[in-house]
Amino acid sequence: MRDIVLLGLNHKTAPVDVRECIAFTADETDQALVMLRDNPTIGESVLFSTCNRIELLMAVDECEAAVTLAKQFIAEFKKVPLSQFEKSLYQYVGDEAVRHTLQVAASLDSMVVGEPQILGQMKEAYRKATVEKTSGVILNKLLHRTFFVAKKIRTETGIGDHAVSISYAAIELGKKIFGDLEGKRVMLVGAGEMAELAVEHLIRNRAGTITVANRTFSRGVELADRFRGKAVKFEEIISCIKDVDIVISSTGATDYVLRKDQIKEAMKSRRNRSLFFIDIAVPRDIDPEINRINNAYVYDIDDLKGIVDENIEDRNREAVKAQRIIDEAVIGFRKWYDTLEVVPTIVSLRGKVEAIARQELDKTLGTMSHLSEADKQAIERMTGALVNKILHEPTDFLKKDGCRGNKSAALDLTRKLFNLENNH
Amino acid sequence: MESVFIIATIIYMFSCACYFGYLFFQKSILQRSAIGLMAAGFALHTVSLVACGIRAGNFPVNNLHETLSVTGWAIAAVFLVFFFKYKLKILGIYAAPLITLVMIAAYQMPRPVAQNPQLLKSWWLAAHIVTIFLGNAAFTLACGLGILYLLQENAIKKKTRGFFFSRLPSLDLLDTTGYASIVVGFSLITIGLITGIVYAKAIWGRFWSWDPKEVWSAITWLFYAALLHERLTVGWRGRRAAIMAIIGFGVLLFTFFGVNFLLQGHHGTFTAM
């Protein structure tokens, strides 16, 4: 009987320099899968590698031997001494491996709980494994089940809801003000990593023209080129405000760059259309009093951080619900897995054929009342003999490992051929 | 047709319950059920009103019971149209309970026979009533949208977010829809007032008689005209527009009910109890 074994390391167990050394690129993954496939100790394998984790999921006959071999394999393949990363490796067998796989796919094990990319990355890893034919009956079933459960968790819990980064939080707020960010004009005052990231997010949400105002005009022009926008002089900010919808500010100024009376005046010329200020600078660029003006909204870095923290808390609460769904899925998978044992399969196969024989026998004898008791017994004996003879070869095949190694596939096929899923 | 009226009311109640469920649990199945029930209730309600009208031989506004019933019907009609136009799902949380309450109030009212049914038999009058009621219903929705706008605006300004932030749509959508309902309402009551004036000439021989109902109708019309004018010229939008829509609804309520109960006017027959 094959065991499911998972060997891996992630951001919790290994520092980034170790993860960098072990990470598999797409091409390396392909090569590694081919090499693993050719190794008889490892029955099935799926290799999954991102910047935060490396997971090798296997279905093997000899658990200990396979784990030792897999560790050696990684060390040799990546040319990193085993001692350097062995401490960071974790290893799960059976139900625990199933549970871990489900948790990873549902993004419960991620650095940012609920982040959505992981499922796509996992599907891609599985696709590679199917192309190289390294995954078999067991891992196919496990991963199909995993993707199904991960999707269910995403729809039934709020684990993926709400932004958990500053710039996404700003986008989410913008959507609550403007509805759609398409065509909304943006002004970037100053520069800075987080501010530029926010602008990029806005562009991805199809925001309109980007205007850049920087104290150093040449720097402004440079940024404007990058965002395919236009640069304006720092002194022009106020006159430009009437034409923009979102202002992102991130300057090194020690005093407010925009004051309440200036904006109050500007609101008149924009006929009170909503104006959203995102103040990422410390100390602040935008007078918080501006938030009191009708249809003007000011969010500074602390406000945005507050939203992010709150959202992370929400996600962690939802993770508890997700855990319950995973517990159920582990039990469900265990049920299927147990059917891959030889004896229960033979018993239910026999039960099924005998039930059919009994049913048909009763039907036939019921219409033939003229038969004597002796005749009836003879027919019953004959039916019993038929059942035994028909089942002899398949039973032998399953018991004696006639399927050369891949017993789980043969058992699975048997169950499918005779539709045994429903009567155990 | 009493039973149809009651069934329609019960369906509205279920719709209302679904909207409350949707507000709390955010399951789209609840919202879909709610709008489906609303449409079903509206269809039955229409049947009940038509039957009522045929039996009486005139437009069914002979007493307060019928007037309220038509009010509920008009709100449902305008709500359904706005729902399909703007896909503003959460507005139901305002409209459904309101319709249900109006229906229950209508059910409680006695149903005296009209004193002067001859007065009511005219196509001018039918046009007057239909446009006024639908216009008022649009203003009613504008008020609801104003309330929702203020709730959402408060959530964003106070940075507390909380219960309504995630449940309500964007400020822009609320403002646009609110504006659209005021434009629709204003257009309809303008037509309604014109037909009313023409009808007054036909039946009383003069266009305008300084009746309290007429005066207050003019005040309401002027109020909404000012609101629209300010929006187009100086940009009264967002918070101020929302507050004005709510105040406007107060003026409207007084014109609709207050005048009939507190002042004496020639519209008394419609709210007879």
Side-chain angles (χ1 to χ4, degrees), chain A residues 162 172-173 175-179 271-273 291-299 303 307 310-311, chain B residues 149 152-153 155-157 159 161 165-166 168-172 232-240:
Chain A
H162 308 310
E172 200 178 68
L173 272 165
K175 283 185 179 161
K176 279 291 177 195
I177 294 170
F178 298 110
R271 313 224 306 183
N272 288 317
R273 274 180 295 110
N291 195 40
R292 303 174 74 99
I293 301 174
N294 272 349
N295 302 336
Y297 308 90
V298 180
Y299 270 73
D303 300 330
I307 294 175
E310 216 177 284
N311 287 346
Chain B
Y149 183 95
Q152 180 69 306
E153 198 230 14
I156 294 176
K157 282 263 176 176
K159 301 170 184 180
R161 308 192 305 148
F165 180 78
S166 59
L168 293 181
S170 68
L171 291 177
D172 185 71
L232 293 172
T233 52
V234 293
W236 269 20
R237 58 177 75 234
R239 183 183 171 79
R240 188 165 294 170

Side-chain angles (χ1 to χ4, degrees), chain B residues 11-24 26 30-39 75-76 78-84 86-101 140-145 148 164 167-169 173-174 177:
Chain B
I11 294 177
Y12 283 138
M13 280 179 193
F14 278 117
S15 170
C16 189
C18 284
Y19 271 116
F20 274 109
Y22 175 62
L23 180 68
F24 284 97
Q26 298 280 290
L30 286 169
Q31 185 269 329
R32 286 201 300 273
S33 318
I35 195 74
L37 285 166
M38 176 72 82
I75 297 172
V78 175
F79 169 72
L80 286 169
V81 169
F82 269 78
F83 172 79
F84 287 109
Y86 291 97
K87 305 276 174 257
L88 192 60
K89 294 171 184 158
I90 203 67
L91 185 58
I93 198 62
Y94 168 79
L98 190 65
I99 295 166
T100 309
L101 285 177
T140 308
L141 287 192
C143 167
L145 287 158
L148 295 181
F164 288 105
R167 289 172 166 80
L168 293 181
L173 181 61
L174 290 169
T177 319

Side-chain angles (χ1 to χ4, degrees), chain B residues 5-257:
Chain B
F5 177 85
I6 291 172
I7 294 169
T9 308
I10 290 170
I11 294 177
Y12 283 138
M13 280 179 193
F14 278 117
S15 170
C16 189
C18 284
Y19 271 116
F20 274 109
Y22 175 62
L23 180 68
F24 284 97
F25 305 115
Q26 298 280 290
K27 295 267 184 266
S28 66
I29 175 82
L30 286 169
Q31 185 269 329
R32 286 201 300 273
S33 318
I35 195 74
L37 285 166
M38 176 72 82
F42 176 72
L44 277 180
H45 194 177
T46 310
V47 169
S48 122
L49 284 177
V50 168
C52 194
I54 289 171
R55 196 181 44 201
N58 59 31
F59 206 86
V61 286
N62 299 306
N63 50 42
L64 189 56
H65 162 73
E66 291 180 0
T67 303
L68 281 174
S69 177
V70 173
T71 305
W73 178 86
I75 297 172
V78 175
F79 169 72
L80 286 169
V81 169
F82 269 78
F83 172 79
F84 287 109
K85 177 88 170 61
Y86 291 97
K87 305 276 174 257
L88 192 60
K89 294 171 184 158
I90 203 67
L91 185 58
I93 198 62
Y94 168 79
L98 190 65
I99 295 166
T100 309
L101 285 177
V102 169
M103 291 296 277
I104 292 170
Y107 180 73
Q108 300 293 334
M109 291 301 159
R111 288 147 217 202
V113 178
Q115 294 145 350
N116 188 3
Q118 257 351 86
L119 189 74
L120 300 171
K121 285 192 173 121
S122 157
W123 285 109
W124 278 111
L125 185 73
H128 169 67
I129 292 169
V130 168
T131 48
I132 288 283
F133 273 76
L134 288 174
N136 287 355
F139 286 144
T140 308
L141 287 192
C143 167
L145 287 158
I147 295 169
L148 295 181
Y149 183 95
L150 292 181
L151 284 172
Q152 180 69 306
E153 198 230 14
N154 188 51
I156 294 176
K157 282 263 176 176
K158 291 266 158 57
K159 301 170 184 180
T160 49
R161 308 192 305 148
F163 186 77
F164 288 105
F165 180 78
S166 59
R167 289 172 166 80
L168 293 181
S170 68
L171 291 177
D172 185 71
L173 181 61
L174 290 169
D175 187 51
T176 319
T177 319
Y179 174 56
S181 43
I182 286 181
V183 170
V184 168
F186 185 72
S187 314
L188 286 168
I189 66 157
T190 306
I191 300 171
L193 290 181
I194 293 169
T195 48
I197 289 167
V198 171
Y199 180 63
K201 171 78 179 166
I203 199 155
W204 292 308
R206 56 183 187 277
F207 289 111
W208 191 264
S209 49
W210 294 104
D211 178 86
K213 192 77 170 184
E214 292 173 358
V215 173
W216 276 93
S217 297
I219 292 172
T220 311
W221 187 88
L222 284 171
F223 184 91
Y224 281 105
L227 178 50
L228 285 175
H229 177 260
E230 291 300 294
R231 185 180 182 105
L232 293 172
T233 52
V234 293
W236 269 20
R237 58 177 75 234
R239 183 183 171 79
R240 188 165 294 170
I243 292 172
M244 292 316 265
I246 296 168
I247 296 174
F249 183 63
V251 176
L252 180 72
L253 273 185
F254 185 78
T255 309
F256 195 66
F257 292 117

Side-chain angles (χ1 to χ4, degrees), chain A residues 339-381:
Chain A
T339 64
L340 294 182
E341 295 277 7
V342 176
V343 177
T345 303
I346 292 174
V347 169
S348 59
L349 175 62
R350 192 163 190 89
K352 172 122 187 182
V353 179
E354 274 174 351
I356 294 170
R358 171 54 48 195
Q359 199 184 356
E360 293 304 314
L361 195 63
D362 289 350
K363 217 194 300 178
T364 310
L365 291 183
T367 59
M368 300 173 92
S369 47
H370 59 278
L371 291 180
S372 72
E373 208 42 47
D375 291 340
K376 281 184 185 169
Q377 276 173 12
I379 292 177
E380 276 183 29
R381 269 199 305 281

Side-chain angles (χ1 to χ4, degrees), chain A residues 402-419:
Chain A
C403 32
R404 265 178 256 122
N406 200 350
K407 196 172 256 180
S408 39
L411 287 166
D412 191 54
L413 178 66
T414 309
R415 302 196 79 90
K416 279 186 187 144
L417 270 179
F418 291 92
N419 190 21

Side-chain angles (χ1 to χ4, degrees), chain A residues 326-346:
Chain A
I326 286 181
D327 289 345
E328 287 167 11
V330 171
I331 294 168
F333 187 78
R334 162 59 54 189
K335 257 190 197 152
W336 172 82
Y337 194 71
D338 285 344
T339 64
L340 294 182
E341 295 277 7
V342 176
V343 177
T345 303
I346 292 174

Side-chain angles (χ1 to χ4, degrees), chain A residues 21-22 71 74-76 78-86:
Chain A
C21 295
I22 311 291
K71 283 182 184 171
I74 295 171
E76 278 165 31
K78 295 301 299 184
K79 299 188 180 65
V80 180
L82 183 57
S83 57
Q84 203 178 319
F85 66 93
E86 194 172 13

